[in-house]
Amino acid sequence: MNHDDPRVPISADEQMDQAVALVGTVLPAPISAPLPAEVVAVSVSPLPQALPAPHVPQKPQVEPDASGPHETSETQVQPQPQLTPDPAPQPTPDPSAVNPGCACGGTARTFPEHIGRRPPAYPPFPKNKPAVGEDDFAAFTPDTVVDGLTLPGLAVLGASMRGDSHRWEGTCRQDAMVLARIGDGNEQLLVLAVADGVGSSKRSHVASQELAHAVIKAMDTKARDLHSLLVGQDHQMLIAAVNSAVGEAVPACLNKWAAKTAGFDERDYATTLHLLLVPTDTKIRDRAWVSIGDGGLLRLVDGEWQGLEGQDGGIASTRTTALPSTRYAAVVLIRSDPGELLLLGTDGITNPINQEPEFRARLAAYWGTGEVPSMSEFLRQAQLRAKTYDDDRTVICVWEGATGL
């Protein structure tokens, strides 16, 4: 009996009789003895009393339970109605595995992984893009760029992607990435570049891409000198040569922007820039890191990150330094050995590596084994998500001594 029901209670016999007449289904007599544990009990809600008494048929035989026979007696166990079992409870979806907001119905292998107990509140897919006609440069800037190359004993993979906040707001990616090769013959250099347009500058998405291209083009005119100075470890002359290229590129870009922009203000074109110069002759172990602004370079050795903020030789973290207000680049000479990994990135990835132990441990597990992932797998790994880190993210990884590619 439901003690919360305000109606006058009736006996179990009367409830059973009324149920038979109401639904037109033949049911056995009510239970007069305790049931085995295997038989599921059902509560019957009280029904209206003004119903004719039904004819009760002879007792049917009791069907054996599917789990096996039971020791029962006809005088003790009355036949029971055949009950439809309740459907099995469905597991609660894991928000990291299936995102109900995605029309395509994602799975754990579709969406990137996350650290922490729950993923960030932002959905892991783009919502909108700028419209053509409002800002054509922004409209034609892709959400994500992936690139890579391999040389004997060297593998490079890079990815640049819009941050969660820009995807949600429908604004374009302000980061830029370039993998380029300059010079000729045995004096060639790989120039790997990441740039982070300053969010408060209206045209920083233009500056990050075009200044990165312009600086690399200016370096190409000095490629032989840059290669010679790097291999010869002539640090001071290398600094001069690099900054000569920067000094040529910045005014050229400013003049171009001023010529086609009404009310031009160079403060609208602020961006950071980091480059890594790597000889294509992989017998040469010398590299040069060129740095303007936040973001920087990290090294992964035996599963441990080196160059974190606060360590000797840590990444540059001068938050206010950016082109074109500054035209001076710091240059650091590096020697990298086979088995190591160099990571060049904007602060969208260097910040969580520095500040989140689980984040840097997960990336070390991805990229510190010596095995180079496929391009699509690298992109998935580079999108490892963490709450509050919703900025654009650009990362280039160099696997030193990579084999079997």
Side-chain angles (χ1 to χ4, degrees):
M1 181 177 70
N2 184 348
H3 295 282
D4 297 326
D5 196 325
R7 292 172 291 181
V8 176
I10 61 176
S11 69
D13 288 351
E14 291 173 315
Q15 291 183 29
M16 187 64 73
D17 291 345
Q18 293 173 5
V20 170
L22 180 65
V23 302
T25 303
V26 177
L27 296 175
I31 300 167
S32 61
L35 297 177
E38 291 79 3
V39 180
V40 180
V42 185
S43 63
V44 181
S45 299
L47 300 172
Q49 300 185 39
L51 295 172
H55 169 71
V56 180
Q58 297 295 322
K59 296 187 296 181
Q61 295 296 320
V62 180
E63 294 288 338
D65 188 271
S67 63
H70 307 285
E71 294 182 6
T72 59
S73 169
E74 272 192 32
T75 59
Q76 293 179 331
V77 180
Q78 300 297 328
Q80 300 303 310
Q82 293 187 359
L83 305 175
T84 302
D86 293 333
Q90 298 299 314
T92 302
D94 179 355
S96 67
V98 178
N99 190 310
C102 180
C104 61
T107 67
R109 296 190 64 81
T110 302
F111 294 131
E113 296 178 358
H114 62 86
I115 64 168
R117 296 182 60 186
R118 294 185 179 277
Y122 288 108
F125 47 86
K127 297 291 287 184
N128 209 339
K129 290 195 65 172
V132 174
E134 297 176 0
D135 180 348
D136 286 352
F137 196 100
F140 295 125
T141 299
D143 175 273
T144 300
V145 175
V146 186
D147 203 355
L149 61 89
T150 59
L151 297 171
L154 189 74
V156 181
L157 287 174
S160 181
M161 61 218 79
R162 216 169 18 153
D164 284 342
S165 58
H166 285 168
R167 285 175 169 176
W168 180 258
E169 296 161 359
T171 52
C172 81
R173 175 171 50 89
Q174 295 172 324
D175 275 13
M177 178 186 76
V178 184
L179 277 63
R181 188 175 63 185
I182 62 174
D184 299 309
N186 295 328
E187 297 177 331
Q188 292 186 47
L189 293 169
L190 298 180
V191 183
L192 314 177
V194 300
D196 179 5
V198 177
S200 58
S201 298
K202 294 186 293 186
R203 303 287 289 169
S204 65
H205 56 291
V206 176
S208 61
Q209 293 197 42
E210 294 194 350
L211 276 171
H213 293 171
V215 169
I216 292 173
K217 287 179 180 179
M219 285 184 169
D220 186 45
T221 65
K222 311 173 190 303
R224 178 174 293 181
D225 290 341
L226 291 170
H227 186 279
S228 175
L229 295 170
L230 173 58
V231 174
Q233 297 287 289
D234 191 335
H235 192 194
Q236 293 304 315
M237 290 301 294
L238 182 61
I239 292 173
V242 166
N243 280 283
S244 174
V246 173
E248 293 173 11
V250 172
C253 286
L254 291 176
N255 291 337
K256 179 178 70 172
W257 297 330
K260 60 181 183 181
T261 305
F264 170 78
D265 185 342
E266 72 173 45
R267 292 174 296 181
D268 291 337
Y269 294 81
T271 184
T272 69
L273 181 63
H274 291 266
L275 305 102
L276 186 64
L277 309 184
V278 181
T280 57
D281 182 352
T282 53
K283 295 188 297 293
I284 301 172
R285 308 309 311 169
D286 302 301
R287 284 90 177 90
W289 168 32
V290 179
S291 172
I292 302 172
D294 57 14
L297 183 74
L298 298 170
R299 190 195 308 254
L300 183 60
V301 183
D302 296 329
E304 297 293 331
W305 292 103
Q306 298 178 0
L308 301 175
E309 288 183 12
Q311 293 182 355
D312 291 340
I315 66 171
S317 184
T318 47
R319 300 292 177 180
T320 58
T321 304
L323 295 167
S325 60
T326 184
R327 301 181 192 181
Y328 178 81
V331 180
V332 178
L333 291 173
I334 299 168
R335 185 172 181 84
S336 185
D337 295 321
E340 297 181 356
L341 178 133
L342 298 179
L343 183 152
L344 187 72
T346 60
D347 64 354
I349 195 162
T350 60
N351 281 353
I353 289 177
N354 273 288
Q355 298 163 14
E356 300 292 339
E358 183 183 355
F359 190 94
R360 61 176 172 263
R362 191 81 66 88
L363 290 188
Y366 289 156
W367 299 334
T369 64
E371 181 177 350
V372 181
S374 67
M375 193 172 286
S376 58
E377 182 67 5
F378 176 78
L379 174 61
R380 188 187 71 83
Q381 294 167 345
Q383 294 182 89
L384 178 65
R385 308 180 75 210
K387 287 184 177 180
T388 76
Y389 297 94
D390 56 6
D391 196 8
D392 293 349
R393 180 180 296 178
T394 302
V395 55
I396 300 175
C397 288
V398 180
W399 281 266
E400 302 280 11
T403 60
L405 301 175

